[in-house]
Amino acid sequence: MSPDGVRRQAPVAVIGMSARVPGADDADEFWDLFACGKRTMSHPPAGRLDDYRADIGDIEEPTVSFFSDVVGFEPALFGITYRMAVWMDPQQRLMLEAAWQALESAGIPPRSLAGEDVGVFVSTTCSDMRDRMAFRHVVDRYSAVGLLLTFVSARISHHFDLRGPSITLDTACAGGLTALSQAVSGLRAGEFRMALVGSPNVYLHGHMQAVMQRFGAVTPSGEARCFSADADGYVRGEGVFCFVVKLLDDAIADGDPVLAIVRGSSVNHDGKRGGLTRSDPESQRELINRALTQAGLTPNDLGYVECHAAGTPKGDPIEVQALRDLTRASSSTAAGPDGKLWLGSAKANIGHLEGGAGSASLAKAIQILRYRTIPMTPGVSDLHRDVPVDRHPVEIATTTLSWPDGKPRRVGVTALGVGGANAHAVLEEAPLFPSLAVSRKARWTIPVSARTTKSLTRLVDKLASFIQHGHRTPNDTTGLPAPDFAAAVWTLCVGREQLDSRIIITAHDSDEFVEAAQAFVQEKDHPLLHTGSAGENQTRLRDVGMPAAEIDSAERWLAGDTVDWSVFWPVDQRPRRVALVPYPFDRRACWPEVAGPLGKSSEDDQTNLEHS
């Protein structure tokens, strides 16, 4: 045990993740924003900042980073009546979707967890839906479960029947990493075997926008300039994130994909050392050292830190100072490109997500490790006068840097709450697992399903592209390789829900799969595509050489039965599951202002509240 009482602790694996922000609908599109240096700030959509008053906020029209649509949702996928969905805080709906996609990213059918001790830890600071409805004096019998913030986490636990702790927390801007720290601690203590961690952030009322502008935190110029001399505040942003975490040893044993490793996670508070709304260097040094000690590392083992830096002239320099002091106490070089510790901030691209800011930073850090690239932080001009002139080895990433092989890639992530709560996580790149040689003479039987035909078509289209090419950024600078085909097939067999709209593709390799998938998307016939009647499917499956037992299972599956596809895979021929493309929801507008009258006699209201 170290002198400060912190001991090295078991590493935790991030085995699945989802991310959605304005301009990016999934985790890989989220990365594209950073890889291309894009910024998502603009004026708010009409009606979103309900009751915003320029005379209070001192800005005629704020600059924000907002979703274009927060009313869309697919209630039927989650067994929720339309009426209940209409009155749900969009943060609840977004978190249900994010949890579904994160679990499928981990190759875990969401409903397979029913009855398991899985924890749910969600952070949010925003109650704008409640404020909006209160201002309009609008209420429904579903308003209570739709507006209480506890249901942001409780919805997930209830819907998937998860029996571990279910906590909605608020430590302001540190919330996303505080939620991670709680999950990591619970996993290490053996309180549960897996956890979901996440944050939603959606603004629906103008009062807090005006408050934060009057407070001086939000930029009057409309641009976040992190670390810069002309920094004058942050831009408020929206998003939703979810991560699936498990002890690394358990993840390896269970054949889970591993996206990154959490080596250390810590939280603290400034007490009176900082101001009521501003952290101080000593608190930050203690925070980061504690997380590093858990990991058995030093500050110079890090190659990058995703800073809290929001573009505030007082806060950003403090972070740089704390990191400079930490590295100088260790050695003169760090583990990043060119022997430096590089710094950046997601807030320059997507704004400050307040209660979701820590989750946004965590998602960016994981993608940096996966894509092996440190993206530029846009908008950095001359550095603020309080940023130390002699920073070596600390440097701010103003250009995009490839992170070459050599030392293990490790990053720190910092989130600092406006009330004095602080959180930090130390991440490490995922280990390389040896590939498993899988042999099969017959073609693979590949089931793909969704709730609706529209979603199925979009899913098959996305799968064909990813299985053929992997993911490349729009500027073609970074990418993820195409997955091993056998691992992708295994994941589709055992790692996805078996939903109502179904096809089967039979294929020897990715080229055959892509050819049949494209035929389905184009509504064309193909001998390796199976969607028809029982007799037609049997003939086709026999013609392509499928074993009799698999033909029977395929027919039953296409007819709507549940099939255990794993029985056709010998135990020693089962590869690790891999992260594939996210589920494409078939959303409809669920919003009180567009739903129209919902009287007590409506069909959607006949379902009892306790069973909705």
Side-chain angles (χ1 to χ4, degrees):
M1 181 140 336
S2 65
D4 62 357
V6 180
R7 61 181 175 85
R8 185 171 181 173
Q9 297 189 19
V12 169
V14 180
I15 63 172
M17 68 176 285
S18 61
R20 182 183 170 201
V21 298
D25 286 335
D26 59 49
D28 291 323
E29 290 182 5
F30 173 76
W31 170 252
D32 293 346
L33 294 175
F34 301 103
C36 298
K38 291 183 179 179
R39 312 184 83 177
T40 59
M41 293 77 167
S42 63
H43 295 308
R48 283 291 300 284
L49 287 180
D50 198 41
D51 196 38
Y52 171 75
R53 288 179 53 180
D55 61 321
I56 296 176
D58 293 330
I59 299 173
E60 187 62 33
E61 189 171 20
T63 298
V64 295
S65 178
F66 278 13
F67 287 123
S68 59
D69 169 39
V70 292
V71 306
F73 183 55
E74 188 175 357
L77 181 67
F78 298 95
I80 294 173
T81 65
Y82 177 66
R83 180 174 189 146
M84 179 176 277
V86 162
W87 293 96
M88 288 169 64
D89 185 334
Q91 294 185 122
Q92 295 183 27
R93 303 199 296 249
L94 287 167
M95 277 308 304
L96 280 172
E97 291 181 349
W100 184 285
Q101 290 186 333
L103 287 167
E104 287 203 337
S105 166
I108 299 173
R111 293 168 186 163
S112 70
L113 298 175
E116 298 292 324
D117 287 332
V118 177
V120 179
F121 301 88
V122 179
S123 70
T124 184
T125 59
C126 189
S127 58
D128 276 21
M129 180 68 167
R130 186 188 308 176
D131 295 340
R132 187 183 182 102
M133 295 298 103
F135 172 74
R136 291 170 176 247
H137 301 288
V138 175
V139 67
D140 184 82
R141 73 191 201 92
Y142 287 144
S143 293
V145 295
L147 298 179
L148 292 174
L149 289 183
T150 188
F151 283 96
V152 180
S153 59
R155 281 280 185 188
I156 298 170
S157 299
H158 172 76
H159 175 73
F160 298 116
D161 192 17
L162 309 180
R163 309 294 176 83
S166 184
I167 297 172
T168 302
L169 60 89
D170 179 3
T171 56
C173 326
L177 292 189
T178 304
L180 175 70
S181 187
Q182 289 198 344
V184 167
S185 294
L187 289 167
R188 288 170 169 170
E191 296 174 2
F192 40 84
R193 201 168 182 272
M194 190 170 76
L196 302 180
V197 175
S199 305
N201 201 55
V202 175
Y203 304 118
L204 300 168
H205 195 267
H207 181 65
M208 283 306 297
Q209 180 73 33
V211 166
M212 297 311 288
Q213 288 171 189
R214 177 59 66 91
F215 177 52
V218 172
T219 168
S221 66
E223 186 176 356
R225 304 184 183 100
C226 304
F227 308 109
S228 298
D230 55 355
D232 61 357
Y234 69 79
V235 173
R236 301 180 89 208
E238 294 183 328
V240 61
F241 305 86
C242 189
F243 310 91
V244 186
V245 293
K246 183 186 285 189
L247 290 177
L248 178 61
D249 286 349
D250 289 342
I252 292 173
D254 295 343
D256 298 318
V258 178
L259 307 183
I261 301 170
V262 182
R263 294 286 304 274
S265 179
S266 63
V267 294
N268 72 2
H269 194 280
D270 298 321
K272 285 196 172 183
R273 289 180 295 191
L276 186 61
T277 61
R278 188 175 72 251
S279 184
D280 79 303
E282 185 179 356
S283 296
Q284 292 183 35
R285 289 194 297 270
E286 291 176 359
L287 174 81
I288 297 169
N289 266 328
R290 187 173 295 134
L292 286 166
T293 302
Q294 283 184 21
L297 301 171
T298 71
N300 295 85
D301 290 318
L302 301 176
Y304 175 82
V305 171
E306 175 62 22
C307 295
H308 177 78
T312 56
K314 295 182 179 179
D316 296 7
I318 291 175
E319 284 193 81
V320 180
Q321 178 186 338
L323 289 164
R324 192 275 306 265
D325 293 346
L326 273 173
T327 54
R328 288 199 166 184
S330 181
S331 71
S332 60
T333 60
D338 300 324
K340 295 182 180 180
L341 174 61
W342 296 93
L343 312 184
S345 174
K347 298 173 183 67
N349 300 82
I350 62 172
H352 185 357
L353 275 63
E354 298 181 351
S359 289
S361 296
L362 178 63
K364 179 186 170 186
I366 291 170
Q367 296 295 61
I368 285 173
L369 292 173
R370 295 181 73 206
Y371 283 87
R372 303 179 179 187
T373 300
I374 296 172
M376 66 175 290
T377 295
V380 179
S381 60
D382 294 336
L383 294 181
H384 193 278
R385 64 181 181 274
D386 293 333
V387 171
V389 175
D390 181 8
R391 296 179 301 279
H392 187 77
V394 173
E395 191 55 80
I396 295 163
T398 56
T399 60
T400 297
L401 302 161
S402 176
W403 197 339
D405 293 337
K407 295 180 180 179
R409 297 176 183 89
R410 298 185 179 107
V411 304
V413 188
T414 298
L416 309 173
V418 70
N422 309 308
H424 187 83
V426 174
L427 308 184
E428 184 175 284
E429 63 185 333
L432 292 176
F433 296 104
S435 59
L436 179 65
V438 180
S439 61
R440 180 180 168 95
K441 293 181 179 179
R443 286 185 170 90
W444 302 103
T445 303
I446 309 169
V448 187
S449 70
R451 192 186 70 85
T452 67
T453 301
K454 180 180 178 181
S455 288
L456 179 60
T457 302
R458 292 166 58 202
L459 177 60
V460 171
D461 191 29
K462 284 176 172 284
L463 280 169
S465 177
F466 186 72
I467 285 175
Q468 185 175 38
H469 302 296
H471 179 79
R472 299 293 303 182
T473 56
N475 60 5
D476 207 35
T477 56
T478 64
L480 294 177
D484 174 77
F485 185 63
V489 174
W490 169 246
T491 304
L492 289 170
C493 285
V494 302
R496 296 276 168 140
E497 288 290 352
Q498 300 182 31
L499 300 171
D500 293 340
S501 187
R502 304 178 174 193
I503 65 167
I504 282 176
I505 292 174
T506 48
H508 278 307
D509 53 32
S510 60
D511 289 340
E512 286 191 345
F513 176 87
V514 170
E515 186 179 314
Q518 290 174 341
F520 174 74
V521 172
Q522 297 165 10
E523 299 182 349
K524 296 179 180 179
D525 190 29
H526 194 281
L528 303 181
L529 175 63
H530 312 281
T531 63
S533 64
E536 180 185 356
N537 285 323
Q538 187 177 66
T539 300
R540 283 198 168 194
L541 290 164
R542 189 182 300 114
D543 287 347
V544 297
M546 300 307 299
E550 287 191 45
I551 292 175
D552 176 69
S553 292
E555 283 192 290
R556 289 190 295 104
W557 189 79
L558 287 169
D561 285 356
T562 299
V563 169
D564 180 5
W565 295 104
S566 68
V567 300
F568 300 112
W569 293 68
V571 174
D572 63 349
Q573 295 279 299
R574 297 176 179 180
R576 302 193 71 80
R577 302 187 310 282
V578 292
L580 297 174
V581 300
Y583 186 87
F585 300 104
D586 188 0
R587 299 183 177 100
R588 62 184 293 196
C590 299
W591 193 241
E593 295 161 32
V594 298
L598 288 171
K600 290 186 177 180
S601 61
S602 71
E603 181 179 347
D604 277 316
D605 196 35
Q606 300 306 308
T607 303
N608 185 276
L609 176 64
E610 293 301 320
H611 297 90
S612 294

